[in-house]
Amino acid sequence: MKKIEIKIIDYRPEHQSHFERLNRHWIEKYFWLEPIDKFVLMEPEKAILQRGGNILMATINNEIAGTVALKKVDETTYEFTKMAVDEKFQGNGLGYALTKAAIEKAKIMGAEKLLLYSHTSLKAAIHLYRKVGFRETHLEPGVYSRSDIKMEMDLDQIKIIKADEMYANAISTIGKKSFHDAFLPTFNRYEDLVEYLDYTYNVEKITDSIKKSNNVFFVALYKNKLAGFAKVKKQSLNMQLTGSRQMELQKIYVLKEFHGTGVAAALLHSVIGLAKNIRPACIWLDVYIGNKRGIRFYEKNGFEKFGKHSFKIGTQIFSYDLMILPGAVFGVNQESSQIVSYGND
Ligand SMILES: CC(C)(COP(=O)(O)OP(=O)(O)OC[C@H]1O[C@@H](n2cnc3c(N)ncnc32)[C@H](O)[C@@H]1OP(=O)(O)O)[C@@H](O)C(=O)NCCC(=O)NCCS
């Protein structure tokens, strides 16, 4: 039997006809299209994306097979809506994969609560919702005439803050601890590691760095606990790349106990949000060649390797992969990227 490969990908404009087809099918089969459905299905960019929501598509062996949307209700609440899997692909775990991926995406976007409206006759959907943690709540009248059930789920909260100097201490602590835990085994001399951390994460040095207009620091809180940080240089040229507008994701560190919580993805989401605003032609970064988990994380988020370089820490030379996220991935083409100076870093 042919192996089934399921992928969850972000919606792109060319997916509109699939988004409409998949949802139109089940809504017209069991109910009827309401005016709000028509708007959402025909103009998902206006109805969902431009209002701060998100849409995911599921593929099975590279064929579009399902979808789900997150409609923004307010800063911390999203409606889980328009989930559909092509009938010929149902029962393969796609609905489950889409539901889990949408929950993760919502957390990354800062959601604290998800809600949904459904109908109790949609047995597979209701089963799936309960399985992942949605619970029934009071249904207010008049949202969709076809729904007879409303469900909600509280999410483990991730907050991303653009850091000011007040966070220098926190950044220093997270940086030292997470680098130490991740890279201790790669150092031949412990003194090299300690010297590097004392220099790089000196609180005064971090304070100065936060003040520089070319730098942006994001700090992540998970359930109100400090969990990680990212540092971006808005303009930073890598000589192995062409083009004059390059943003560097210089550091992204998450404390060990928060690995797997979505904190790293939430930090990256904020970095890409910044890039969408200031429109560099790309985001580049370097990652230690032995950091397989980190490389997988970046690849999963659209980064590709484009070169290597090395860096001396104390007496030891470390090799790094260089990776790039092209502007096209976050909606910037080369021509429209702007040349701006942010001064010295
Ligand atoms: C709901 C839907 C997206 C699920 O897609 P899917 O790819 O078949 O989902 P999965 O294969 O991941 O899982 C389906 C789950 O539902 C269960 N299920 C299927 N039919 C069921 C039924 N009649 N009653 C109860 N559970 C059922 C399956 O056993 C499975 O659960 P399990 O993993 O615990 O065994 C799909 O059925 C669909 O498109 N339905 C029409 C649209 C819809 O209802 N959308 C939601 C509107 S609110």
Side-chain angles (χ1 to χ4, degrees), residues 22-23 26-27 30-31 67 80-87 89-99 116-119 121-129 131 146:
L22 292 161
N23 276 296
W26 73 266
I27 298 176
Y30 300 112
F31 309 96
T67 186
F80 181 103
T81 185
K82 299 291 177 283
M83 177 165 74
V85 170
D86 193 323
E87 274 178 5
F89 294 121
Q90 286 180 11
N92 286 301
L94 256 99
Y96 181 73
L98 275 165
T99 309
L116 64 84
Y117 300 90
S118 189
H119 196 277
S121 65
L122 299 169
K123 301 281 187 225
I126 302 293
H127 170 84
L128 212 47
Y129 297 151
K131 187 167 150 177
R146 69 166 169 273

Side-chain angles (χ1 to χ4, degrees), residues 27 32-41 82 144 146:
I27 298 176
W32 59 94
L33 279 182
E34 301 183 28
I36 177 69
D37 295 319
K38 287 187 188 157
F39 175 48
V40 171
L41 295 188
K82 299 291 177 283
Y144 299 95
R146 69 166 169 273

Side-chain angles (χ1 to χ4, degrees), residues 303-319:
F303 283 82
E304 292 162 11
K305 291 181 186 173
F306 69 90
K308 287 198 189 307
H309 75 173
S310 48
F311 185 63
K312 199 169 177 200
I313 300 183
T315 55
Q316 202 175 334
I317 294 174
F318 291 85
S319 291

